[in-house]
Amino acid sequence: MFLLLFFTMLESYSQTPITFPLYLQKGDTVAIVATARSFQPEDLGPAMDSLRKWGLKVVLGKTIGPEYHQLAGTDKARARDLQNMLDNPSIKAIWAARGGYGTVRIVDMLDFTKFRKNPKWIIGYSDVTVLHSHIHNMGIATLHATMPINVKRNSEEAIQSFKRALFGKGLKYTVPSRVQNRMGAAEGQLTGGNLSILYSLLGSPSAIQTDGKILFIEDLDEYLYHIDRMMMNLKRNGYFDNLKGLIIGGMTKMHDNSTPWGKDAIGIVREIADAYDFPVCFDFPAGHMEDNRALIMGKKVKLTVNKDTVSLEFEDRK
């Protein structure tokens, strides 16, 4: 009886206490900012049309338009723009315009004091994984979803999942299974994002926490041996030891050398995952793809991997 109580307490403590920002309502304001690469206002049409069609107002940050080499302004300018939106009580969600690289250069310049007291949805994926992981460690949920740069190419399923997540509607995905999956069921908080970004954050205050959780990873434009290197680092640092489940999204536009690595991305991940017994699914529709479904990071989910289907259901209550 004592051991049962001990392990029950251990599992509960492994979960990060999560605060959920208020879900959006018609009339709320969404800010669009560029935390990394530059983004031009003429490319915002489809994204702004969608928000306005849903009854939302849009405010553009001062980082939409400027170019500082590859970036949307200097580090100080990008940090100041995001800080203003974090502190502005009339802004209910902040949507990163695009990814690329650069968010990690400003995360330590930010003051999250007001944000902690009045959290709002931080939205994006790819390089925005810096904010997902950093804010997850504060105990605040974020939204891994499409960005304005992608809206015109996204599937209808991706756009509708984004809308449902923003407005607090239930999320449950059922997708075809594949032979490389490992069957099973698990429950836990969802965490993760872009593998390269997660790898780059290890050892910092923004580093991922995976104990008792379900990990989602995806990546783009990487060499296969880099995928192996990053997965091996996660393994050697114990990030899979107490994991409940593993979801692999898009492993898009992978590269190989003239002498092949010998495994594709799925094979690399599966080889490492074979040392554990948690359920694993591949090709989940999230990441650098048209069908990029919304994921609420920090929310408790149930992952069920069967022979024919994979389901991911988000808990209704906070």
Side-chain angles (χ1 to χ4, degrees):
M1 181 66 180
F2 173 78
L3 287 177
L4 178 61
L5 179 61
F6 172 78
F7 284 114
T8 300
M9 291 175 62
L10 183 64
E11 181 173 346
S12 65
Y13 284 131
S14 68
Q15 302 296 295
T16 304
I18 293 290
T19 297
F20 289 81
L22 294 175
Y23 292 107
L24 270 58
Q25 300 179 355
K26 289 185 177 181
D28 284 343
T29 301
V30 176
I32 300 178
V33 301
T35 62
R37 284 191 180 176
S38 59
F39 189 86
Q40 299 308 309
E42 57 265 28
D43 297 322
L44 280 170
M48 293 179 68
D49 289 345
S50 291
L51 293 179
R52 288 167 175 163
K53 184 172 65 176
W54 300 341
L56 301 172
K57 301 174 184 176
V58 185
V59 169
L60 301 186
K62 293 182 179 180
T63 47
I64 302 300
E67 295 182 3
Y68 180 75
H69 306 299
Q70 294 184 9
L71 301 171
T74 64
D75 292 344
K76 288 183 179 180
R78 298 192 329 279
R80 183 168 55 248
D81 196 31
L82 179 54
Q83 187 72 64
N84 289 338
M85 300 307 183
L86 289 170
D87 294 345
N88 187 337
S90 69
I91 302 297
K92 303 304 180 184
I94 301 172
W95 197 9
R98 65 169 302 168
Y101 170 75
T103 307
V104 73
R105 296 182 58 87
I106 67 173
V107 67
D108 293 325
M109 300 180 184
L110 300 172
D111 182 351
F112 289 94
T113 302
K114 293 183 178 179
F115 175 79
R116 287 175 184 265
K117 293 178 180 178
N118 295 290
K120 58 194 69 179
W121 290 104
I122 305 298
I123 309 159
Y125 73 107
S126 192
D127 192 62
V128 185
T129 296
V130 173
L131 296 176
H132 290 310
S133 192
H134 192 81
I135 292 172
H136 184 94
N137 292 345
M138 297 179 191
I140 297 173
T142 57
L143 182 53
H144 185 283
T146 189
M147 296 183 287
I149 194 172
N150 305 120
V151 167
K152 64 182 177 182
R153 296 189 299 271
N154 281 136
S155 69
E156 184 63 21
E157 291 83 357
I159 298 300
Q160 289 304 312
S161 72
F162 175 42
K163 180 182 178 182
R164 292 184 66 82
L166 269 184
F167 286 90
K169 306 300 181 182
L171 289 180
K172 180 179 180 180
Y173 304 124
T174 301
V175 298
S177 192
R178 62 175 301 158
V179 67
Q180 292 92 342
N181 290 353
R182 183 162 60 213
M183 291 184 286
E187 295 185 8
Q189 287 175 348
L190 184 63
T191 191
N194 181 266
L195 176 60
S196 296
I197 300 298
L198 295 173
Y199 171 78
S200 74
L201 297 175
L202 297 185
S204 78
S206 308
I208 194 171
Q209 300 175 15
T210 59
D211 283 358
K213 299 181 182 182
I214 292 176
L215 176 62
F216 164 79
I217 56 175
E218 61 85 31
D219 220 323
L220 167 75
D221 198 26
E222 283 289 345
Y223 275 86
L224 292 171
Y225 81 92
H226 288 181
I227 299 295
D228 189 82
R229 171 192 287 158
M230 293 185 285
M231 291 296 295
M232 286 298 299
N233 194 8
L234 290 175
K235 177 182 179 180
R236 296 185 70 227
N237 279 284
Y239 285 94
F240 301 130
D241 290 350
N242 299 308
L243 195 65
K244 292 294 186 181
L246 181 61
I247 302 170
I248 311 300
M251 286 292 180
T252 309
K253 297 181 181 178
M254 295 289 109
H255 306 289
D256 207 349
N257 300 93
S258 57
T259 301
W261 178 250
K263 294 183 178 69
D264 62 8
I266 291 175
I268 291 167
V269 174
R270 185 58 204 257
E271 180 184 43
I272 290 175
D274 279 346
Y276 308 91
D277 61 0
F278 46 71
V280 182
C281 80
F282 295 95
D283 284 348
F284 189 85
H288 289 80
M289 57 179 65
E290 292 181 1
D291 192 14
N292 181 14
R293 311 283 179 95
L295 304 172
I296 302 175
M297 294 301 185
K299 192 130 189 175
K300 186 176 180 180
V301 297
K302 181 176 182 180
L303 171 67
T304 305
V305 183
N306 294 322
K307 180 180 178 181
D308 297 321
T309 61
V310 172
S311 70
L312 183 67
E313 183 172 6
F314 289 76
E315 186 178 58
D316 283 339
R317 61 186 180 85
K318 294 181 179 180

